[in-house]
Amino acid sequence: MGIRIGYAAGAFDLFHVGHLNLLRHAKSECDFLIAGVVSDELLEKNKGKRPVIPLIERLEIVQSVQFVDRAVAETAPTKLDMWKQLGFNVFFKGDDWKGTSQGLALEETFARVGVEVVYFPYTVHTSSTFLRRTLELLNAPVARESAP
């Protein structure tokens, strides 16, 4: 068996323990781990919102994680396009994708080029979406009742 080059992609916005768990698990399954940090533009296109933390800062944070050998900006429209650029042979994803139409399509696409898809447990008790909503609530103006 050759060198396992892994690729774990994500927004990595509002970096939290779920992100750390994904990267830790991914590194334990490969020899060299590339973390793809999805660009601000792709996040806005795919999720309808810009990240709280800009790409350049998210890249610096992710590159600083001891499990990551290389962090790259994910600017290509598909994961297959990223594979063409980077040549990884293992792709890591949270198990919230496992068995979904998106996950099955990803597995089929990567099987054709010899890339193994490995799923890891999704950390359900925390997410960037949850953190973002909490911040929005904390920053929302407090509605005050008008005095009669």
Side-chain angles (χ1 to χ4, degrees):
M1 181 185 234
I3 294 175
R4 287 173 60 92
I5 301 169
Y7 185 68
F12 299 109
D13 195 22
L14 300 173
F15 196 88
H16 56 74
V17 73
H19 297 135
L20 188 62
N21 288 340
L22 174 66
L23 296 171
R24 178 188 296 116
H25 290 309
K27 181 60 180 180
S28 74
E29 295 282 331
C30 66
D31 301 300
F32 188 87
L33 178 61
I34 304 168
V37 181
V38 180
S39 73
D40 296 352
E41 294 75 20
L42 279 179
L43 285 173
E44 190 167 20
K45 178 183 173 193
N46 296 332
K47 294 193 174 190
K49 289 187 179 182
R50 290 190 73 76
V52 174
I53 309 298
L55 175 62
I56 193 75
E57 292 178 24
R58 291 182 288 123
L59 272 167
E60 188 173 341
I61 291 165
V62 171
Q63 182 61 65
S64 296
V65 174
Q66 68 181 359
F67 311 112
V68 174
D69 295 299
R70 179 179 176 204
V72 298
E74 185 174 296
T75 56
T78 71
K79 302 298 185 219
L80 187 61
D81 290 326
M82 291 305 295
W83 169 79
K84 289 174 185 173
Q85 291 177 25
L86 301 169
F88 52 87
N89 51 26
V90 185
F91 180 79
F92 301 106
K93 192 72 182 152
D95 67 2
D96 55 322
W97 272 53
K98 192 172 189 173
T100 66
S101 58
Q102 290 174 310
L104 294 170
L106 188 70
E107 290 172 35
E108 185 178 307
T109 297
F110 277 147
R112 280 184 247 143
V113 295
V115 174
E116 177 186 1
V117 177
V118 176
Y119 294 100
F120 291 122
Y122 183 74
T123 307
V124 292
H125 66 274
T126 189
S127 73
S128 295
T129 301
F130 174 76
L131 292 172
R132 181 186 202 107
R133 285 185 190 142
T134 302
L135 286 172
E136 288 169 354
L137 287 173
L138 289 173
N139 289 322
V142 177
R144 299 177 193 264
E145 292 182 28
S146 54

